[in-house]
Amino acid sequence: MSKYNALWEYVQKSGKESFHLTFEEIQEIAGIPIDHSFLKYKKELADYGWQVGKISMKEQTVCFHKID
């Protein structure tokens, strides 16, 4: 079980094709702060039919896209 499972489930249930979340929103959903390990764990999202797009350090946002 991944420490980001709650986030992956949230993304999967979003009902959208793509959307952005702020680092703060991710922390609230996942129950943990986003950190460097997110780059490793983001690959797990493909198992849920999604992928991580652009990660903006300046805007502190992450874009999520549904895989066709």
Side-chain angles (χ1 to χ4, degrees):
M1 183 169 176
S2 167
K3 66 182 187 175
Y4 289 103
N5 274 357
L7 175 62
W8 305 154
E9 290 172 6
Y10 176 89
V11 169
Q12 184 183 38
K13 294 175 184 174
S14 71
K16 301 175 185 177
E17 292 294 313
S18 68
F19 64 98
H20 289 82
L21 290 175
T22 65
F23 289 3
E24 187 175 313
E25 290 170 324
I26 290 171
Q27 179 174 332
E28 289 175 20
I29 295 163
I32 56 170
I34 190 170
D35 60 19
H36 185 273
S37 71
F38 183 78
L39 298 174
K40 179 179 95 176
Y41 285 102
K42 73 179 187 171
K43 296 175 186 129
E44 298 172 343
L45 190 53
D47 294 339
Y48 292 84
W50 286 78
Q51 65 184 5
V52 173
K54 182 179 179 184
I55 299 172
S56 173
M57 298 304 288
K58 182 179 179 183
E59 297 176 10
Q60 294 197 337
T61 59
V62 177
C63 186
F64 298 92
H65 301 283
K66 192 169 189 174
I67 299 170
D68 295 328

